Amino acid sequence: MKVYGYLQLNEEEAQNFELRDRLEDWFLDNKIVCTRIFEDRVSGAVTAKNRANLQELLKRLKRGDRLVITDIDRLGGSRKDAINVLKMLRTMDVYVGILDVPGLNRYFTLMHVEEYKKWMELFLYEEEQIVELQYRIKRGSTLTGMKRAAAQGKKTGRKRMIDPPEKFVKDYKQYKDGYLRTMALRDFLRYEGISKSTYYNYERKLLEKEKKATFL
């Protein structure tokens, strides 16, 4: 078992060392040996897949390892992005300590896996409720704006779906027929860096092309 730390710092935070000192002090106070603290000096809006050091860390993590972060916002470009990273770590049996979250901020001093799992399940549930609420609020505002635009005679709606990129077309064929066919859909989505809705839109586009080709 190894213990790692992770920090995402913007330009100002990288200069004052406050967050790094906080994480290092926590390891010292709890007499925990940290193998390495990975650090990305990027904007908080940068997604997890586009953070080089976070991706390197994820590749190194093994089952039973521990990871400590200061708060969930440091783990992804959005709350939903960070939740997805936490879920992935849960499937890997990597245990995450979050200093700003009661229960999870003392996990490493307790080293009690079952208690940790209960706290993490509760935390993820609450975070997903927040994301869903934010989505509904945003959707409500969008619908209100669309109705206002329609009343003013303005056209609204989604733009026409573009064709799938060449990389997706190649990987999709391998996913369905080749060496990627044993990969779970969620892993393929992560591999491509796309959402499930984008995947199904691309797939629909490819199937439409195949259907047209058969009638030519």
Side-chain angles (χ1 to χ4, degrees), residues 4-216:
Y4 297 92
Y6 175 73
L7 289 168
Q8 168 272 316
L9 305 172
N10 60 36
E11 186 175 345
E12 182 180 347
E13 292 167 336
Q15 297 299 321
N16 62 32
F17 301 103
E18 182 179 344
L19 280 174
R20 187 176 184 88
D21 288 344
R22 181 187 176 197
L23 191 57
E24 290 178 342
D25 288 345
W26 189 88
F27 283 121
L28 289 173
D29 292 342
N30 289 284
K31 298 180 175 59
I32 295 172
V33 177
C34 177
T35 301
R36 177 180 169 183
I37 295 178
F38 285 78
E39 181 180 307
D40 278 306
R41 297 190 177 189
V42 296
S43 164
V46 176
T47 59
K49 70 176 182 178
N50 291 319
R51 299 182 182 185
N53 289 320
L54 176 57
Q55 291 303 311
E56 182 183 347
L57 169 61
L58 294 176
K59 290 177 182 177
R60 291 197 183 196
L61 287 168
K62 306 296 183 185
R63 182 176 182 181
D65 283 348
R66 272 67 168 163
L67 173 63
V68 184
I69 58 176
T70 55
D71 56 274
I72 186 175
D73 292 336
R74 303 287 166 175
L75 206 54
S78 65
R79 191 181 294 264
K80 185 175 181 179
D81 190 26
I83 289 173
N84 288 336
V85 175
L86 284 176
K87 286 183 173 181
M88 180 178 68
L89 292 172
R90 182 177 58 178
T91 63
M92 295 167 58
D93 285 332
V94 172
Y95 305 109
V96 183
I98 308 176
L99 303 190
D100 284 349
V101 179
L104 294 177
N105 62 0
R106 58 190 178 89
Y107 165 65
F108 282 86
T109 61
L110 294 173
M111 289 296 178
H112 195 297
V113 172
E114 292 306 316
E115 181 175 354
Y116 161 82
K117 289 180 178 179
K118 292 178 181 178
W119 278 106
M120 181 55 75
E121 287 297 327
L122 177 61
F123 176 69
L124 286 174
Y125 173 78
E126 291 177 342
E127 289 296 310
E128 287 180 320
Q129 293 303 304
I130 292 173
V131 170
E132 178 64 21
L133 179 60
Q134 290 174 336
Y135 169 77
R136 290 184 179 183
I137 292 174
K138 183 178 179 180
R139 179 172 174 78
S141 299
T142 301
L143 290 174
T144 300
M146 290 175 66
K147 289 179 180 178
R148 188 181 297 116
Q152 296 173 355
K154 297 178 181 179
K155 292 184 178 181
T156 60
R158 294 184 178 180
K159 294 182 179 180
R160 183 176 178 272
M161 179 65 189
I162 62 175
D163 289 338
E166 185 177 337
K167 180 181 181 301
F168 176 86
V169 175
K170 179 181 177 181
D171 292 343
Y172 176 78
K173 180 173 178 56
Q174 293 176 330
Y175 172 60
K176 288 294 185 180
D177 306 319
Y179 73 93
L180 294 178
R181 62 185 173 187
T182 59
M183 183 184 288
L185 177 58
R186 65 174 180 275
D187 296 323
F188 182 71
L189 296 179
R190 192 178 300 120
Y191 178 75
E192 293 295 312
I194 60 176
S195 66
K196 186 181 290 186
S197 60
T198 299
Y199 167 84
Y200 286 124
N201 281 328
Y202 284 168
E203 185 178 53
R204 189 181 305 114
K205 200 76 174 178
L206 291 175
L207 292 175
E208 287 177 357
K209 283 189 174 182
E210 290 180 3
K211 187 177 180 179
K212 288 180 180 178
T214 58
F215 288 100
L216 295 178

